Amino acid sequence: MTGRKYFNLSGWGPREWAMTALAVLVLAVVLLISTRGLAAGATGDVRGLRFGGDVQRTRIVIDLDRSARGEVIESGDRGSVVLTLAGVGAGRGVDGAGSGLVRDWRVSPSGTASRVHLALARTARIERRFLLPPGDGVAYYRYVIDIAATGSAPLPAGERQAARPEQRRTERPLIVIDAGHGGRDPGARGAHRSESEVTLAAALALRDELNRTGRYRVMLTRETNVYVDLYRRVRIARQADADLFISLHADAGADPATRGASVYTLSEQGATRAVREVTRSDDWHRDLHLPGRDPSVDRILLDMTQRATQNRSAQFARVLLTHLEAADHPLLRRSHRDAGLAVLLAPDVPAVLLEMGFITNPDDERALGDAAQRRRLVRAVSEGIDRYFREPAGTMQIAANNAGAGGM
């Protein structure tokens, strides 16, 4: 009864109406500020870029709302610096004009990370990069990149353009080489060497061999004896838009007489697992540059993308084995195998795992540790890569299950 009397509007005087109007106004202002704050946060965690220095040395400061982990994709030797910042979003993206060595810049979303593309006025190299936490009167994080000119002539205007997906076919293919194991994970052990030791040596040798041809861009998942998580190895290749991923390993067996190389591609069971991993997040279609308007259509496109990737992987496996055999490199009797290995799970990057030989076999271990024989092996791999990129897509065959389920 008393409540009804309290809300009897007919009995309100000027004071009650004024107080109510003021409360409504305050509420409206609070809601407006909150909405603007949410909209600002939705645009991403990259606040902007600042520059200092000149055309010989330039400092780039990326202002961030939160901490980030940077990973370099292109280091400036071809006229651009590209890196991903894991842990921060880019919203719908932002771009602008640069200063000093930087001609212009663009920040765009790359899955759950941000991709920073710096188009350079001339070739350069990264001298250092580091993250500064909030402090000294600055309330946000700063990712700092220092670049220095390498002395090359200014790039033609056409080469200074930011690379778009449709232009990638005109670029040199990007090969990501993964040296298996490393750091706290030495892998299999032979009489004198560990698997992580021989895989790193082979990866460095293959990188040098491919760089000598001048036909490829090359990236390694590790260049020293460090541990890299299996799924991070796949993310490195995917975030870099790699054209081919090769994971190098050395096999092991109970019988020391067993020797020879083999090549693994993704099994059908592994393909199912890959789809499950990729579609785990709500915005998975962005990673694959799919429209994202119709989930059923995106799923069909994912299946088509993955099938094409499996076909290309199987094609490269066959080509690679042909060149290894031509180089008189020992092969297992059943040398093309399939498995659901974690490093093969990328649905949009053709990938193989090469078991270079058995580290538990004295002859294979000796060959894997010998620099001359290692050069002969990576030369055969390089020739296989050359042939793979020369062959037209029309010669591809559907990846089959009859390769057998290889064990590890």
Side-chain angles (χ1 to χ4, degrees):
M1 299 295 289
T2 56
R4 291 182 182 177
K5 291 180 180 179
Y6 183 82
F7 288 104
N8 185 5
L9 301 183
S10 61
W12 281 20
R15 183 174 181 278
E16 285 81 0
W17 283 111
M19 292 298 292
T20 301
L22 179 60
V24 171
L25 178 61
V26 170
L27 179 61
V29 171
V30 170
L31 288 174
L32 179 61
I33 293 174
S34 300
T35 303
R36 287 183 174 177
L38 288 172
T43 61
D45 303 310
V46 178
R47 302 167 63 98
L49 273 71
R50 296 178 284 125
F51 303 88
D54 52 29
V55 293
Q56 291 301 318
R57 276 185 166 80
T58 301
R59 166 162 287 190
I60 304 101
V61 181
I62 308 172
D63 295 332
L64 306 168
D65 281 335
R66 64 182 67 190
S67 179
R69 186 182 70 254
E71 197 166 281
V72 174
I73 297 173
E74 294 187 30
S75 58
D77 58 335
R78 297 190 64 246
S80 61
V81 170
V82 182
L83 72 156
T84 57
L85 293 175
V88 295
R92 291 180 296 274
V94 62
D95 54 40
S99 177
L101 280 168
V102 180
R103 183 175 176 269
D104 53 64
W105 57 272
R106 182 177 76 254
V107 181
S108 57
S110 179
T112 57
S114 296
R115 173 169 294 194
V116 179
H117 188 287
L118 307 173
L120 305 181
R122 59 192 307 164
T123 57
R125 61 183 175 86
I126 297 176
E127 287 191 315
R128 67 185 66 85
R129 54 191 179 94
F130 51 92
L131 179 72
L132 290 174
D136 298 326
V138 180
Y140 45 82
Y141 289 84
R142 291 148 292 168
Y143 194 91
V144 181
I145 308 169
D146 289 338
I147 59 175
T150 56
S152 302
L155 293 170
E159 291 188 20
R160 292 198 300 257
Q161 298 297 320
R164 296 178 174 86
E166 61 269 20
Q167 295 173 325
R168 290 186 68 249
R169 68 186 66 185
T170 65
E171 297 179 344
R172 294 178 298 167
L174 173 61
I175 316 297
V176 174
I177 305 170
D178 173 44
H181 304 279
R184 59 182 171 84
D185 175 20
R189 293 187 180 275
H192 306 287
R193 298 173 182 83
S194 68
E195 183 179 4
S196 62
E197 176 188 347
V198 299
T199 58
L200 180 58
L204 294 172
L206 179 56
R207 177 197 63 185
D208 294 343
E209 181 68 27
L210 291 173
N211 281 337
R212 265 194 294 272
T213 70
R215 290 187 285 271
Y216 306 101
R217 295 172 294 147
V218 184
M219 179 186 297
L220 271 63
T221 58
R222 68 179 182 97
E223 299 183 38
T224 58
N225 184 29
V226 296
Y227 176 76
V228 181
D229 179 79
L230 294 176
Y231 293 100
R232 186 182 169 208
R233 298 169 194 251
V234 177
R235 285 197 303 272
I236 289 171
R238 293 193 66 209
Q239 291 177 354
D241 290 330
D243 296 283
L244 186 62
F245 177 87
I246 306 173
S247 187
L248 301 178
H249 287 258
D251 220 331
D255 184 0
T258 304
R259 68 175 307 199
S262 59
V263 177
Y264 283 83
T265 51
L266 189 65
S267 65
E268 290 299 320
Q269 294 81 1
T272 302
R273 177 186 170 194
V275 169
R276 190 166 59 247
E277 291 290 336
V278 168
T279 57
R280 192 182 300 276
S281 63
D282 294 334
D283 59 350
W284 61 269
H285 50 85
R286 294 181 184 175
D287 276 346
L288 294 166
H289 309 294
L290 299 177
R293 299 188 183 94
D294 187 330
S296 61
V297 173
D298 279 351
R299 182 55 186 264
I300 293 172
L301 293 175
L302 170 61
D303 290 340
M304 293 174 63
T305 298
Q306 186 180 54
R307 176 57 59 184
T309 299
Q310 285 184 268
N311 291 342
R312 295 290 287 174
S313 301
Q315 179 194 19
F316 176 61
R318 290 190 294 269
V319 168
L320 178 57
L321 287 168
T322 299
H323 283 268
L324 290 175
E325 185 176 17
D328 293 325
H329 191 82
L331 300 177
L332 283 176
R333 183 176 59 83
R334 186 167 56 88
S335 52
H336 183 186
R337 305 182 171 208
D338 64 354
L341 304 171
V343 292
L344 302 178
L345 291 181
D348 48 358
V349 179
V352 301
L353 184 147
L354 170 60
E355 295 279 10
M356 300 178 291
F358 277 73
I359 200 166
T360 48
N361 175 271
D363 293 328
D364 276 1
E365 183 188 14
R366 190 178 307 110
L368 291 172
D370 182 76
Q373 295 191 62
R374 187 163 51 239
R375 280 195 301 271
R376 186 157 54 248
L377 168 64
V378 300
R379 194 172 298 121
V381 176
S382 176
E383 290 169 355
I385 292 172
D386 282 341
R387 181 178 162 196
Y388 167 76
F389 283 104
R390 284 198 311 267
E391 287 191 354
T395 63
M396 292 190 302
Q397 301 176 15
I398 295 296
N401 298 334
N402 57 11
M408 296 295 293

